[in-house]
Amino acid sequence: MLTRNCLSLLLWVLFDGGLLTPLHTQPQAILEAQPRENVVPVPERRSSAQRVKRGWVWNQFFVLEEYMGSEPQYVGKLHSDLDKGVGTVKYTLSGDGAGTVFTIDETTGDIHAIRSLDREEKPFYTLRAQAVDVDTKKPLEPESEFIIKVQDINDNEPKFLDGPYVASVPEMSPVGAYVLQVKATDADDPTYGNSARVVYSILQGQPYFSIDPKTGVIRTALPNMDREVKEQYQVLIQAKDMGGQLGGLAGTTTVNITLTDVNDNPPRFPKSIFHLKVPETSHVGSAIGRIRAVDPDFGKNAEIEYNIVPGDGGNLFDITTDEYTQEGVIKLKKPLDFETKKAYTFKVEASNLHLDHRFHSVGPFKDTATVKINVLDMDEPPVFSKPVYTMEVYEDTPVGTIIGAVTAQDLDAGSSPVRYFMDWKNDVDSYFTIDSTEGTIATNELLDRESTAQYNFSIIASKVSNPLLTSKVNVIINVLDVNEFPPEISVPYETSVCENAKPGQVIQTITAADKDLSPAGQRFSFKLSSEASNKPNFTVHDYRNNTAGIETRRHGYSRRQQELYFLPIVIEDSSYPVQSSTNTLTIRVCRCDSDGTIQSCNVEAIFLPVGLSTGALIAILLCIVILLVIVVLYVALRRQKKKDTLMTSKEDIRDNVIHYDDEGGGEEDTQAFDIGALRNPKVIEDNKIRRDIKPDTLRFTRHRPPAEDNTDIRDFINQRLKENDVDPSAPPYDSLATYAYEGNGSVAESLSSIDSLTTEADQDYDYLSDWGPRFKILADMFGEESYNPDKVT
């Protein structure tokens, strides 16, 4: 404390005496700032010669970090020339940490740090100071800014942020081979002293590795380090600040270094001879033994390739490498037989696949060993003389016929008899039997090739001395065909002939098929049946290649005369015995164009015009009928309207609509019952002669009493019925008449022919043309042309 106060006093003397020139708020300021007098112009004074004394000039203050004293740490002192020491000036402090980190004595201006500071947390603080009059509270001088820097001390050790480290280097590397670079970080100020200057060293891992003290690069320190001797190394690295001097702080980390493998070791067999024992029943392709060469290398450098050196028996065996165990797997290429040869000897060579040229001087990277294989005698099952037996038998062969035999024998030294039996799997096997001693196969049922053409089953042979030792062989029996089915036309043909066909024209080519299994070279022949050969319509031309053509024999065919022709064709095969059949071919007559293209084969098409279908023609005819009906109805309505127009108002004529069950006499029948008086009693009824029958003799007209106005209609009808019942000229059948009154006032009067004394031929209808276009058709129909019943169709 005394030393610090003395140092502050010395600096004050230097500044106050003008020995040092302070800097104005620059980062490179000296330790403290003390007030001194500066000559500066004052804007309020006009005289340039007048000098004033400024309050203070600021430099940077410094404060030590991590201060552990019992009293607050003194930082510096503020003082104004206007302060006469009588307590009229008050000093204030504001900015970073004011009141919390730094305090100021308002009377003396002394600044203290009230807590310990950490430069790594905050390196400097910016504050503002001002002198204020105690009474008026007004600033005596402008506010000034200054900086308090935290002075660094060595309170942080170096740290390896990326540790611990893992590295690798190839084995057998030369001295100085690069391994890894480590780096330590020191949080102290690198610009102040040696607090952040780090030096690296190895605490553990010598003499195998070394480290550069400045860069932290780790390198190998010994040559030819062998992975097979030692693979893992753990190196302890230290980083010390203060340049490694005494009193510096240090940090450590661990580096795990692995030596990677290189192919520096050849494979070696642990022994020179390998003995193997193999049963003679071993299957081809099976593994019969394993041998192994040892290679201390690792990974692909330890991969070994095995090869059999050509020699005695080497061609019976093969060797491959197990990629997981790197063993040589010996496999059997051919069957072994103890009775033929009992032992085999050959050599096996083991070599590396991936060689390193740097180690060729060590010697060849391969090794050789001898393999001896002893064949063991085993009790083997019987062996068939053939791998597969094929036999043939004709269908319909009698039951019990022997069709073939199988043979198996025991090849062991002590030969044993063999017994045979069938391997029953399905009902098909029941068609055959086998003799258990001789091995002969016979039929057990009648065979049908069309049902089953081939049989496939197995025969098992076993030794009498050891029934468990069995062997199996397949037997294939082909059933040969016997000609029992006649040939037939292969497909149903739809044959047609044109009406304009010419003689000798081929209209169809036919083929035949036979259910029998036709032997090679079998041929079919085609001809007409005897009854068809006399008809000169068609003929059959055999092409001698199992096909035939149907040819026409006359000029032209007519559908109207005959639409279908049935042609019987006889087809024969060439097998023994010869089979034949008669097949009927249906030939349809069709209409064709000049090129022979068929246009229609339907019967109804004979009467239809060319180019229209039956449906279209029916639609056309239906439309014509509908139009004719419409025209007839229209004409009838116009004619009825014409009659109504011709009726005068003076005439009161009734129309009688008579419905008969048979044909009558036409319009004259309307004269049969004229009961107009029913509706209009004022009309005087005239006696009329019946026109529906021709009277034999002249009759006098009958006088009927006129009906009164109040005549009852029922009595009137009954009276007329009685009159007609006794009238000999009345029709001999009943008539139902419906009457209607047309009414008065028609311009054209009545068009009815009832009570008309003249015929239609006598009437003049020329006035219809004067009624307008609506009556034009009636005017044309009833014009000057006379009505001729003979012209009506």
Side-chain angles (χ1 to χ4, degrees):
M1 193 69 179
L2 180 60
T3 304
R4 187 181 59 184
N5 293 335
C6 293
L7 180 59
S8 300
L9 180 60
L10 177 61
L11 291 174
W12 180 81
V13 171
L14 292 175
F15 278 99
D16 189 64
L19 299 178
L20 296 176
T21 303
L23 299 176
H24 298 276
T25 65
Q26 296 297 323
Q28 297 81 12
I30 60 175
L31 183 61
E32 289 186 10
Q34 297 291 345
R36 60 163 298 177
E37 293 182 353
N38 287 330
V39 179
V40 296
V42 180
E44 290 81 1
R45 308 275 178 97
R46 295 180 180 272
S47 175
S48 61
Q50 187 175 2
R51 296 172 59 89
V52 297
K53 183 181 292 185
R54 182 174 175 146
W56 59 74
V57 177
W58 301 106
N59 289 316
Q60 290 185 347
F61 292 141
F62 290 87
V63 60
L64 291 176
E65 69 168 335
E66 305 295 344
Y67 175 73
M68 305 300 295
S70 59
E71 297 180 0
Q73 183 181 183
Y74 178 76
V75 178
K77 183 180 180 64
L78 302 180
H79 183 72
S80 174
D81 291 344
L82 299 179
D83 186 3
K84 303 304 181 180
V86 293
T88 58
V89 178
K90 177 183 177 182
Y91 298 96
T92 62
L93 189 67
S94 62
D96 290 344
T100 58
V101 180
F102 303 100
T103 60
I104 187 172
D105 191 313
E106 296 180 352
T107 303
T108 63
D110 293 331
I111 300 174
H112 291 82
I114 60 176
R115 67 179 180 86
S116 178
L117 303 180
D118 187 0
R119 189 200 67 84
E120 288 72 33
E121 180 181 349
K122 188 174 180 64
F124 65 90
Y125 296 85
T126 302
L127 297 99
R128 294 180 299 277
Q130 193 171 34
V132 181
D133 187 274
V134 175
D135 298 330
T136 62
K137 307 298 182 180
K138 292 183 179 180
L140 299 176
E141 293 184 6
E143 186 180 54
S144 298
E145 186 177 81
F146 65 96
I147 295 175
I148 299 177
K149 295 189 67 176
V150 181
Q151 187 174 352
D152 182 54
I153 63 172
N154 188 18
D155 59 342
N156 292 281
E157 74 278 0
K159 294 182 180 180
F160 293 93
L161 301 179
D162 298 329
Y165 296 87
V166 177
S168 62
V169 63
E171 64 173 334
M172 310 303 289
S173 296
V175 176
Y178 176 85
V179 180
L180 181 68
Q181 183 179 13
V182 296
K183 184 177 180 59
T185 303
D186 197 323
D188 291 327
D189 189 359
T191 63
Y192 179 76
N194 294 328
S195 299
R197 182 185 172 192
V198 179
V199 175
Y200 300 95
S201 61
I202 293 180
L203 300 181
Q204 178 185 332
Q206 295 174 340
Y208 304 103
F209 301 96
S210 63
I211 188 170
D212 189 298
K214 294 182 179 180
T215 62
V217 175
I218 302 174
R219 300 179 184 274
T220 58
L222 288 180
N224 300 327
M225 287 189 292
D226 194 355
R227 185 196 68 85
E228 288 73 31
V229 177
K230 186 176 182 180
E231 183 179 6
Q232 299 287 340
Y233 294 87
Q234 189 177 67
V235 181
L236 185 61
I237 304 298
Q238 175 184 266
K240 191 174 184 180
D241 59 11
M242 299 298 292
Q245 297 177 6
L246 187 63
L249 302 178
T252 59
T253 188
T254 301
V255 181
N256 295 312
I257 301 175
T258 303
L259 295 182
T260 58
D261 184 63
V262 297
N263 192 8
D264 58 339
N265 295 284
R268 291 288 182 263
F269 283 107
K271 54 185 179 180
S272 59
I273 299 177
F274 292 87
H275 294 276
L276 299 176
K277 294 181 180 181
V278 181
E280 64 173 337
T281 55
S282 299
H283 299 288
V284 174
S286 62
I288 61 175
R290 288 173 177 257
I291 62 175
R292 181 178 181 181
V294 179
D295 191 337
D297 292 326
F298 178 76
K300 69 176 184 179
N301 296 320
E303 293 180 0
I304 302 174
E305 181 182 22
Y306 297 91
N307 293 288
I308 295 179
V309 179
D312 182 22
N315 57 345
L316 269 72
F317 305 94
D318 191 12
I319 189 169
T320 59
T321 302
D322 189 327
E323 61 180 357
Y324 298 104
T325 63
Q326 294 301 312
E327 292 178 319
V329 181
I330 301 175
K331 296 183 178 180
L332 189 62
K333 291 174 59 178
K334 297 180 180 179
L336 298 177
D337 187 10
F338 176 80
E339 288 73 23
T340 303
K341 192 171 183 178
K342 299 177 176 59
Y344 297 90
T345 302
F346 53 90
K347 290 185 178 181
V348 176
E349 181 182 81
S351 59
N352 281 140
L353 289 175
H354 306 282
L355 301 179
D356 194 331
H357 65 279
R358 296 178 298 171
F359 304 101
H360 284 174
S361 59
V362 177
F365 279 71
K366 62 179 62 176
D367 195 13
T368 305
T370 301
V371 178
K372 289 187 176 182
I373 296 179
N374 295 321
V375 181
L376 301 179
D377 186 23
M378 303 295 294
D379 195 5
E380 301 175 272
V383 178
F384 284 96
S385 59
K386 296 180 181 180
V388 177
Y389 289 87
T390 303
M391 304 175 186
E392 293 180 348
V393 60
Y394 281 98
E395 62 179 336
D396 299 333
T397 298
V399 176
T401 303
I402 296 175
I403 59 178
V406 297
T407 303
Q409 52 183 309
D410 183 14
L411 300 179
D412 290 333
S415 179
S416 172
V418 178
R419 293 293 180 262
Y420 306 93
F421 56 92
M422 298 188 66
D423 184 16
W424 295 95
K425 292 183 177 179
N426 49 52
D427 296 338
V428 177
D429 300 334
S430 63
Y431 282 86
F432 305 93
T433 61
I434 186 170
D435 187 277
S436 61
T437 304
E438 302 296 333
T440 57
I441 300 175
T443 59
N444 195 36
E445 296 182 19
L446 288 177
L447 305 179
D448 184 11
R449 190 204 65 81
E450 286 69 34
S451 176
T452 305
Q454 187 181 79
Y455 294 88
N456 191 339
F457 54 90
S458 299
I459 299 296
I460 298 176
S462 65
K463 296 171 63 172
V464 175
S465 60
N466 188 356
L468 297 178
L469 292 177
T470 61
S471 58
K472 185 184 295 186
V473 69
N474 285 339
V475 177
I476 299 175
I477 298 179
N478 295 317
V479 181
L480 302 180
D481 184 51
V482 174
N483 192 26
E484 56 183 342
F485 291 98
E488 298 176 349
I489 291 179
S490 58
V491 295
Y493 294 96
E494 295 182 359
T495 307
S496 59
V497 61
C498 295
E499 289 182 311
N500 55 358
K502 299 179 181 179
Q505 183 177 348
V506 178
I507 61 175
Q508 183 69 60
T509 301
I510 61 175
T511 59
D514 195 340
K515 294 182 180 179
D516 294 316
L517 181 61
S518 302
Q522 181 179 6
R523 297 180 58 181
F524 300 111
S525 61
F526 304 84
K527 63 180 180 179
L528 287 177
S529 63
S530 57
E531 62 271 13
S533 59
N534 299 326
K535 300 178 181 179
N537 294 320
F538 303 94
T539 186
V540 177
H541 184 196
D542 192 349
Y543 295 140
R544 305 297 179 182
N545 60 354
N546 292 341
T547 61
I550 309 301
E551 298 180 356
T552 58
R553 295 186 59 184
R554 62 187 180 88
H555 196 297
Y557 298 85
S558 175
R559 284 186 294 172
R560 295 186 179 182
Q561 296 179 1
Q562 185 173 352
E563 180 193 5
L564 298 176
Y565 291 89
F566 300 98
L567 186 66
I569 302 173
V570 178
I571 306 176
E572 294 182 352
D573 59 18
S574 59
S575 299
Y576 181 82
V578 175
Q579 299 286 346
S580 65
S581 66
T582 301
N583 301 263
T584 302
L585 184 67
T586 303
I587 303 175
R588 183 182 298 273
V589 181
C590 299
R591 181 168 54 84
C592 307
D593 58 10
S594 59
D595 297 333
T597 303
I598 296 176
Q599 293 183 342
S600 175
C601 293
N602 298 329
V603 178
E604 62 272 13
I606 300 175
F607 305 99
L608 299 180
V610 180
L612 292 177
S613 64
T614 304
L617 292 174
I618 292 175
I620 293 174
L621 293 176
L622 187 61
C623 292
I624 293 174
V625 171
I626 294 173
L627 291 175
L628 290 176
V629 171
I630 293 174
V631 170
V632 171
L633 292 176
Y634 180 76
V635 170
L637 292 174
R638 295 295 297 268
R639 185 174 180 181
Q640 182 67 28
K641 185 175 181 181
K642 175 181 177 182
K643 290 180 179 181
D644 293 341
T645 305
L646 292 176
M647 184 182 295
T648 60
S649 59
K650 295 180 180 181
E651 294 177 336
D652 192 5
I653 301 173
R654 305 292 186 269
D655 286 340
N656 296 334
V657 181
I658 310 300
H659 296 278
Y660 297 99
D661 292 333
D662 56 356
E663 295 183 358
E667 292 184 355
E668 293 181 355
D669 287 344
T670 58
Q671 301 290 338
F673 302 101
D674 185 6
I675 55 174
L678 288 174
R679 302 296 177 87
N680 195 349
K682 296 181 180 180
V683 178
I684 299 175
E685 180 182 4
D686 297 332
N687 292 328
K688 299 179 178 63
I689 300 173
R690 288 286 301 272
R691 289 184 296 178
D692 55 344
I693 58 175
K694 184 176 180 180
D696 296 334
T697 58
L698 181 64
R699 296 186 299 107
F700 295 100
T701 60
R702 290 178 288 115
H703 297 280
R704 299 184 180 91
E708 298 297 332
D709 292 342
N710 55 354
T711 302
D712 187 78
I713 294 176
R714 181 182 302 174
D715 297 338
F716 178 79
I717 292 176
N718 292 331
Q719 180 183 354
R720 289 302 173 93
L721 286 175
K722 293 178 181 180
E723 291 178 359
N724 282 277
D725 289 340
V726 299
D727 189 359
S729 62
Y733 44 80
D734 295 335
S735 297
L736 176 63
T738 303
Y739 303 93
Y741 177 60
E742 293 185 358
N744 298 326
S746 175
V747 177
E749 297 182 352
S750 176
L751 297 179
S752 175
S753 61
I754 300 177
D755 289 340
S756 177
L757 300 177
T758 61
T759 64
E760 291 184 357
D762 298 336
Q763 279 188 323
D764 185 11
Y765 297 100
D766 293 340
Y767 57 85
L768 294 176
S769 59
D770 299 334
W771 289 1
R774 297 178 59 183
F775 297 92
K776 182 177 182 304
I777 296 177
L778 289 176
D780 295 339
M781 295 176 61
F782 298 94
E784 295 179 357
E785 183 179 357
S786 61
Y787 174 73
N788 188 1
D790 297 336
K791 294 182 180 182
V792 178
T793 56

